[in-house]
Amino acid sequence: MNDKQLVSQALAAVLDNALSIDDISNLLETPKKSEMGDLAFPAFSLAKTLRKAPQMIAADIAEKISSDGFEKVVATGPYVNFFLDKSATATAVLSEILSEGTAYATLEQTGENVAIDMSSPNIAKPFSIGHLRSTVIGDALAKIYQKIGYNPVKINHLGDWGKQFGMLIVAYKKYGNEAAIRQNPISELLKLYVQINAEAADDPTVDIEARDWFLKLENGDAEALALWQWFRDESLVEFDRIYTELGVEFDSMNGEAFYNDKMDEIIDILSEKGLLTESEGATVVELEGFENPALIKKSDGATLYITRDLAAALYRKRTYKFAKSLYVVGQEQSGHFKQLKAVLKKMDYDWSDDIYHVPFGLVTKEGKKLSTRKGNVILLEPTLHEAVKRAQAQIDAKNPDLPNKGAVAHAVGVGAIKFYDLKNERLNGYDFNLEEMVSFEGETGPYVQYAHARIQSILRKADFQPDAVVGKTLALTDDESWEIIKLLQAFPDIIARAARTFEPSAIAKYAINLAQAFNKYYAHTRILDENAEKDARLALAYATGIVLKESLRLLGVDAPEEM
């Protein structure tokens, strides 16, 4: 039983059903100062029901509460402040983690699927830092949902269809060199894409020509399809190499092109339900409360993103029978997903309520927006290699005799980039700074990894065996160990909050706080000294190491045993 459950049950026992246990739990607060207690219950919500001043209600509750599990319970103004029994709580929390190991806070499988649309880079364009956010946020959410009992289905909805391929075909036919592309596919295709977009800015006929080629592609033109397939195949070779570097895998690589033969059914359903109307030659669905209708087909008959996304949503519901369907896509697409849900709702699909857009902010460089079209990008693969190189240099300086230095440097360098992205709240963008990311100091991935590695070193020196202390009283009552115990106890709630809010940053920030709390404890406590608390101190170190490792795993970051 965690601290919130303990306090909630104690309060429910004296409130005579005035509030449910869930309501009580939701009202509980953590005091800003530890001397005010570990949890506080505000009595304001009961004032109207009980017709008493909150201060009087708080005093009455404090007097009636059983002292079981608490050092003391006191009323402070309108709050009831609970001070947990440190010794009992430390023993309970540490014993649970020692017994369960990395399974701590794992829930049983529900059997329900969560579809996660993530990564989704555009074919024939290099994989840039801009694609990193969707990839690592989606991967972390998959691991978090698996931890709380769901079955994640990771879908890489590749950008392998659309007018940009018409644009690229035009560019290839105008300036392309087959030999150069075969030798260096992605960089050559990027040059073509940038060149044709620059030309299109001054010449509107380029855009018309690109639309014509995309229409040919949709209609199965042999030349258009052959070029598209070639561009796609070359791109996937590079993408697979980068996903391997990141340690990210997918359950489905069905991109936009996969739904090309599934859109007719969507249009038929919309037509049968009388939802289609014509507007300026285009086919649309009118939506109440929206400035513009949902554009289903352009006047030339070409389909749009929303047509394919409607087909994808229906396919995913039929195939995966999802309990939730998440779209980890930049916040600039929020209008699109509102329209998508609104159209599905008009099609009488109530499961549209289970679709969630998980938006995120932009990555900038020196405050400037990145753009593939303008050739202003930070390529991910060389960036990963540079991060590993920098991590290697720091390891060489700090621990030149470290075994498996290459593998550790890779875990630290790649982990640093992923962690830095995930520690930022999704909707906040951030400015890319590789030096800051790979630093072993500050609120970084390497800092958390180093705290974990330090703990493993302590445990090796002590030859600590967790089974040997299970069942013992592991009483720790000093303030610094108590801060760690409270953080360890909070881990299940942090995971639940990260899942509920689609916010992996909750776990990244938690990991930083836990690493900082342990480092503070380590600086002031001689863990390996022979004394009455030695077993408890080592158990605390072991439990902290377990939870740091699991926190990093949920973020897709490795935790080396040595650094």
Side-chain angles (χ1 to χ4, degrees), residues 318-331:
R318 288 169 173 170
T319 306
Y320 306 121
K321 299 175 177 60
F322 57 72
K324 294 177 191 287
S325 182
L326 314 184
Y327 290 80
V328 187
V329 182
Q331 61 185 340

PDB file of all heavy atoms in Angstrom, residues 318-331:
ATOM      1  N   ARG A 318     -10.224  -2.000 -37.077  1.00  0.00           N
ATOM      2  CA  ARG A 318     -10.589  -3.369 -37.464  1.00  0.00           C
ATOM      3  C   ARG A 318      -9.462  -4.360 -37.154  1.00  0.00           C
ATOM      4  O   ARG A 318      -9.714  -5.484 -36.720  1.00  0.00           O
ATOM      5  CB  ARG A 318     -10.900  -3.416 -38.965  1.00  0.00           C
ATOM      6  CG  ARG A 318     -12.206  -2.748 -39.355  1.00  0.00           C
ATOM      7  CD  ARG A 318     -12.279  -2.625 -40.871  1.00  0.00           C
ATOM      8  NE  ARG A 318     -13.578  -2.129 -41.322  1.00  0.00           N
ATOM      9  CZ  ARG A 318     -13.822  -1.746 -42.576  1.00  0.00           C
ATOM     10  NH1 ARG A 318     -12.850  -1.804 -43.487  1.00  0.00           N
ATOM     11  NH2 ARG A 318     -15.012  -1.298 -42.912  1.00  0.00           N
ATOM     12  N   THR A 319      -8.227  -3.947 -37.412  1.00  0.00           N
ATOM     13  CA  THR A 319      -7.077  -4.856 -37.290  1.00  0.00           C
ATOM     14  C   THR A 319      -6.635  -5.035 -35.852  1.00  0.00           C
ATOM     15  O   THR A 319      -6.354  -6.147 -35.403  1.00  0.00           O
ATOM     16  CB  THR A 319      -5.897  -4.319 -38.133  1.00  0.00           C
ATOM     17  OG1 THR A 319      -6.337  -4.108 -39.476  1.00  0.00           O
ATOM     18  CG2 THR A 319      -4.732  -5.307 -38.126  1.00  0.00           C
ATOM     19  N   TYR A 320      -6.566  -3.934 -35.102  1.00  0.00           N
ATOM     20  CA  TYR A 320      -5.985  -3.983 -33.749  1.00  0.00           C
ATOM     21  C   TYR A 320      -7.027  -3.894 -32.633  1.00  0.00           C
ATOM     22  O   TYR A 320      -6.695  -4.127 -31.466  1.00  0.00           O
ATOM     23  CB  TYR A 320      -4.955  -2.855 -33.571  1.00  0.00           C
ATOM     24  CG  TYR A 320      -3.890  -2.852 -34.634  1.00  0.00           C
ATOM     25  CD1 TYR A 320      -3.700  -1.745 -35.463  1.00  0.00           C
ATOM     26  CD2 TYR A 320      -3.075  -3.963 -34.833  1.00  0.00           C
ATOM     27  CE1 TYR A 320      -2.724  -1.736 -36.449  1.00  0.00           C
ATOM     28  CE2 TYR A 320      -2.097  -3.968 -35.816  1.00  0.00           C
ATOM     29  CZ  TYR A 320      -1.932  -2.846 -36.630  1.00  0.00           C
ATOM     30  OH  TYR A 320      -0.960  -2.849 -37.599  1.00  0.00           O
ATOM     31  N   LYS A 321      -8.262  -3.523 -32.994  1.00  0.00           N
ATOM     32  CA  LYS A 321      -9.333  -3.386 -31.981  1.00  0.00           C
ATOM     33  C   LYS A 321      -8.833  -2.581 -30.772  1.00  0.00           C
ATOM     34  O   LYS A 321      -8.971  -2.984 -29.621  1.00  0.00           O
ATOM     35  CB  LYS A 321      -9.838  -4.765 -31.539  1.00  0.00           C
ATOM     36  CG  LYS A 321     -10.423  -5.574 -32.696  1.00  0.00           C
ATOM     37  CD  LYS A 321     -10.799  -6.975 -32.267  1.00  0.00           C
ATOM     38  CE  LYS A 321     -11.439  -7.752 -33.402  1.00  0.00           C
ATOM     39  NZ  LYS A 321     -10.581  -7.923 -34.591  1.00  0.00           N
ATOM     40  N   PHE A 322      -8.219  -1.447 -31.077  1.00  0.00           N
ATOM     41  CA  PHE A 322      -7.524  -0.662 -30.051  1.00  0.00           C
ATOM     42  C   PHE A 322      -8.456  -0.091 -28.982  1.00  0.00           C
ATOM     43  O   PHE A 322      -9.602   0.233 -29.243  1.00  0.00           O
ATOM     44  CB  PHE A 322      -6.710   0.468 -30.693  1.00  0.00           C
ATOM     45  CG  PHE A 322      -7.506   1.430 -31.554  1.00  0.00           C
ATOM     46  CD1 PHE A 322      -8.377   2.355 -30.988  1.00  0.00           C
ATOM     47  CD2 PHE A 322      -7.363   1.427 -32.942  1.00  0.00           C
ATOM     48  CE1 PHE A 322      -9.098   3.245 -31.777  1.00  0.00           C
ATOM     49  CE2 PHE A 322      -8.081   2.313 -33.740  1.00  0.00           C
ATOM     50  CZ  PHE A 322      -8.951   3.227 -33.147  1.00  0.00           C
ATOM     51  N   ALA A 323      -7.908  -0.005 -27.764  1.00  0.00           N
ATOM     52  CA  ALA A 323      -8.588   0.704 -26.678  1.00  0.00           C
ATOM     53  C   ALA A 323      -8.288   2.200 -26.775  1.00  0.00           C
ATOM     54  O   ALA A 323      -9.118   3.031 -26.406  1.00  0.00           O
ATOM     55  CB  ALA A 323      -8.128   0.167 -25.328  1.00  0.00           C
ATOM     56  N   LYS A 324      -7.079   2.504 -27.256  1.00  0.00           N
ATOM     57  CA  LYS A 324      -6.666   3.887 -27.531  1.00  0.00           C
ATOM     58  C   LYS A 324      -5.860   3.878 -28.814  1.00  0.00           C
ATOM     59  O   LYS A 324      -5.150   2.913 -29.109  1.00  0.00           O
ATOM     60  CB  LYS A 324      -5.777   4.451 -26.410  1.00  0.00           C
ATOM     61  CG  LYS A 324      -6.427   4.648 -25.051  1.00  0.00           C
ATOM     62  CD  LYS A 324      -5.382   5.157 -24.042  1.00  0.00           C
ATOM     63  CE  LYS A 324      -5.899   5.116 -22.612  1.00  0.00           C
ATOM     64  NZ  LYS A 324      -6.882   6.159 -22.343  1.00  0.00           N
ATOM     65  N   SER A 325      -5.946   4.984 -29.545  1.00  0.00           N
ATOM     66  CA  SER A 325      -5.120   5.159 -30.741  1.00  0.00           C
ATOM     67  C   SER A 325      -4.438   6.519 -30.633  1.00  0.00           C
ATOM     68  O   SER A 325      -5.105   7.551 -30.628  1.00  0.00           O
ATOM     69  CB  SER A 325      -5.981   5.084 -32.001  1.00  0.00           C
ATOM     70  OG  SER A 325      -5.189   5.212 -33.159  1.00  0.00           O
ATOM     71  N   LEU A 326      -3.109   6.499 -30.498  1.00  0.00           N
ATOM     72  CA  LEU A 326      -2.339   7.728 -30.296  1.00  0.00           C
ATOM     73  C   LEU A 326      -1.642   8.140 -31.588  1.00  0.00           C
ATOM     74  O   LEU A 326      -1.089   7.300 -32.299  1.00  0.00           O
ATOM     75  CB  LEU A 326      -1.286   7.529 -29.204  1.00  0.00           C
ATOM     76  CG  LEU A 326      -1.711   6.842 -27.900  1.00  0.00           C
ATOM     77  CD1 LEU A 326      -0.541   6.838 -26.915  1.00  0.00           C
ATOM     78  CD2 LEU A 326      -2.927   7.504 -27.291  1.00  0.00           C
ATOM     79  N   TYR A 327      -1.671   9.432 -31.869  1.00  0.00           N
ATOM     80  CA  TYR A 327      -0.960   9.994 -33.017  1.00  0.00           C
ATOM     81  C   TYR A 327       0.095  10.961 -32.480  1.00  0.00           C
ATOM     82  O   TYR A 327      -0.231  12.057 -32.045  1.00  0.00           O
ATOM     83  CB  TYR A 327      -1.926  10.742 -33.942  1.00  0.00           C
ATOM     84  CG  TYR A 327      -2.877   9.848 -34.698  1.00  0.00           C
ATOM     85  CD1 TYR A 327      -4.024   9.346 -34.094  1.00  0.00           C
ATOM     86  CD2 TYR A 327      -2.633   9.511 -36.027  1.00  0.00           C
ATOM     87  CE1 TYR A 327      -4.911   8.526 -34.788  1.00  0.00           C
ATOM     88  CE2 TYR A 327      -3.508   8.694 -36.738  1.00  0.00           C
ATOM     89  CZ  TYR A 327      -4.644   8.206 -36.112  1.00  0.00           C
ATOM     90  OH  TYR A 327      -5.516   7.394 -36.808  1.00  0.00           O
ATOM     91  N   VAL A 328       1.356  10.518 -32.477  1.00  0.00           N
ATOM     92  CA  VAL A 328       2.448  11.349 -31.961  1.00  0.00           C
ATOM     93  C   VAL A 328       2.963  12.200 -33.116  1.00  0.00           C
ATOM     94  O   VAL A 328       3.880  11.824 -33.857  1.00  0.00           O
ATOM     95  CB  VAL A 328       3.565  10.478 -31.346  1.00  0.00           C
ATOM     96  CG1 VAL A 328       4.608  11.358 -30.664  1.00  0.00           C
ATOM     97  CG2 VAL A 328       2.982   9.481 -30.349  1.00  0.00           C
ATOM     98  N   VAL A 329       2.327  13.343 -33.278  1.00  0.00           N
ATOM     99  CA  VAL A 329       2.559  14.212 -34.441  1.00  0.00           C
ATOM    100  C   VAL A 329       2.652  15.664 -33.946  1.00  0.00           C
ATOM    101  O   VAL A 329       1.966  16.041 -32.999  1.00  0.00           O
ATOM    102  CB  VAL A 329       1.418  14.060 -35.475  1.00  0.00           C
ATOM    103  CG1 VAL A 329       1.679  14.919 -36.705  1.00  0.00           C
ATOM    104  CG2 VAL A 329       1.239  12.600 -35.885  1.00  0.00           C
ATOM    105  N   GLY A 330       3.483  16.466 -34.600  1.00  0.00           N
ATOM    106  CA  GLY A 330       3.715  17.851 -34.196  1.00  0.00           C
ATOM    107  C   GLY A 330       2.434  18.651 -33.975  1.00  0.00           C
ATOM    108  O   GLY A 330       1.401  18.391 -34.598  1.00  0.00           O
ATOM    109  N   GLN A 331       2.520  19.643 -33.077  1.00  0.00           N
ATOM    110  CA  GLN A 331       1.321  20.395 -32.698  1.00  0.00           C
ATOM    111  C   GLN A 331       0.741  21.227 -33.841  1.00  0.00           C
ATOM    112  O   GLN A 331      -0.434  21.598 -33.813  1.00  0.00           O
ATOM    113  CB  GLN A 331       1.617  21.290 -31.491  1.00  0.00           C
ATOM    114  CG  GLN A 331       2.685  22.338 -31.692  1.00  0.00           C
ATOM    115  CD  GLN A 331       2.990  23.085 -30.401  1.00  0.00           C
ATOM    116  OE1 GLN A 331       2.202  23.087 -29.475  1.00  0.00           O
ATOM    117  NE2 GLN A 331       4.143  23.716 -30.339  1.00  0.00           N
TER     118      GLN A 331
END
